[in-house]
Amino acid sequence: MQFAPLFPIIYRILQPAFPGCLWSGDRNTKVIALTFDDGPHPQYTPELLAVLDHYNITASFFWLGACVNRHPSIAQAICDRGHWIGLHGYDHRSFPILSPTELKDSLEKTQVAIYNACNLPPAKVRDVRPPNGLFTPKTLNLFQQWKYRPVMWTVVPEDWVRPGVSQVVQRVLQQVQNGSLIVLHDGACGGQDVAASVQILIPQLLQQGYQFITVDALWQQLEVIDKVKIK
């Protein structure tokens, strides 16, 4: 059973309960963030980069530390293009099953891998997307203590089960709206179709007037909105 149609409903329910997460950007501006999990991959990520280069799109990548260690040159190629980098754990184990020590170790090992590959200091890589989107209040409390920023998503086409390029494209176009965080995968599960999916999606989204920005830019948007509310 595929759950893609249910994800928007699930996250609308969860979002108010976990306000410290980044779920979306400003709903009043026509900007979206294109994000990719589970890489870098030796075949799928370069194919994806070629499409992003063609359209001059800056995206955000949430990496597995083990994959960065295996493919440091691809990681560096992503950084060199100015894409935003976040953490997805070292080896895709769900965060709630890890002890606090194991979780901290997973994140720090990934930061070290990124530093070794890209010379990005750990203080610059603080955004975390939990594998499988699974977290608990305890997990989020730990992120806050350790000064990480939890990032979720709003558009989930469930590309990791490989429903087909046309299905992925259709799901994204049906769900996208102002401020959307779109999650796709350039790793072993789903990466086979990611370049083809993005090749179709980007021009259609551009035609609809959307501007692509990074996860960091979405955070900055929300900070501005919060300051305005305080005033």
Side-chain angles (χ1 to χ4, degrees):
M1 179 179 178
Q2 295 186 16
F3 296 95
L6 300 177
F7 282 124
I9 300 168
I10 294 169
Y11 289 118
R12 277 199 296 272
I13 295 170
L14 287 175
Q15 185 173 354
F18 298 99
C21 294
L22 180 67
W23 295 88
S24 67
D26 183 3
R27 292 299 192 192
N28 297 310
T29 57
K30 213 164 178 65
V31 298
I32 54 178
L34 199 54
T35 72
F36 302 94
D37 291 1
D38 294 358
H41 187 278
Q43 177 183 347
Y44 310 142
T45 303
E47 293 172 351
L48 168 62
L49 283 180
V51 179
L52 297 176
D53 286 350
H54 178 77
Y55 291 101
N56 196 28
I57 297 297
T58 304
S60 303
F61 288 80
F62 289 85
W63 283 340
L64 296 172
C67 292
V68 176
N69 279 335
R70 283 196 291 268
H71 311 293
S73 62
I74 298 173
Q76 185 175 25
I78 295 170
C79 286
D80 288 347
R81 286 164 168 78
H83 298 293
W84 188 252
I85 307 302
L87 309 169
H88 200 45
Y90 189 79
D91 51 11
H92 212 275
R93 287 184 295 165
S94 292
F95 289 166
I97 69 171
L98 302 178
S99 70
T101 300
E102 289 171 329
L103 175 57
K104 195 165 192 242
D105 183 61
S106 175
L107 297 174
E108 290 179 349
K109 280 173 64 179
T110 306
Q111 287 173 309
V112 169
I114 292 169
Y115 177 75
N116 291 336
C118 308
N119 204 32
L120 272 179
K124 295 284 188 181
V125 189
R126 310 298 293 183
D127 286 326
V128 182
R129 175 174 280 154
N132 308 310
L134 298 176
F135 57 85
T136 65
K138 180 181 177 181
T139 309
L140 297 182
N141 286 336
L142 291 172
F143 286 165
Q144 186 174 24
Q145 290 176 34
W146 301 333
K147 299 191 176 358
Y148 290 108
R149 302 191 300 187
V151 178
M152 293 301 293
W153 50 54
T154 44
V155 178
V156 191
E158 208 175 10
D159 60 325
W160 62 88
V161 299
R162 299 195 66 195
V165 171
S166 61
Q167 186 71 265
V168 169
V169 169
Q170 181 183 9
R171 288 171 177 173
V172 172
L173 295 177
Q174 285 175 343
Q175 296 179 26
V176 71
Q177 56 185 302
N178 291 357
S180 282
L181 260 167
I182 302 168
V183 59
L184 295 166
H185 294 76
D186 62 324
C189 297
Q192 298 90 338
D193 299 326
V194 70
S197 298
V198 171
Q199 177 68 57
I200 298 170
L201 278 169
I202 288 176
Q204 293 199 39
L205 291 168
L206 288 171
Q207 190 173 23
Q208 291 182 29
Y210 286 108
Q211 176 189 356
F212 292 84
I213 64 175
T214 65
V215 162
D216 187 53
L218 290 185
W219 280 114
Q220 292 177 34
Q221 273 191 340
L222 296 184
E223 287 176 8
V224 171
I225 292 170
D226 287 343
K227 287 178 182 177
V228 170
K229 287 180 179 177
I230 291 172
K231 289 180 181 179

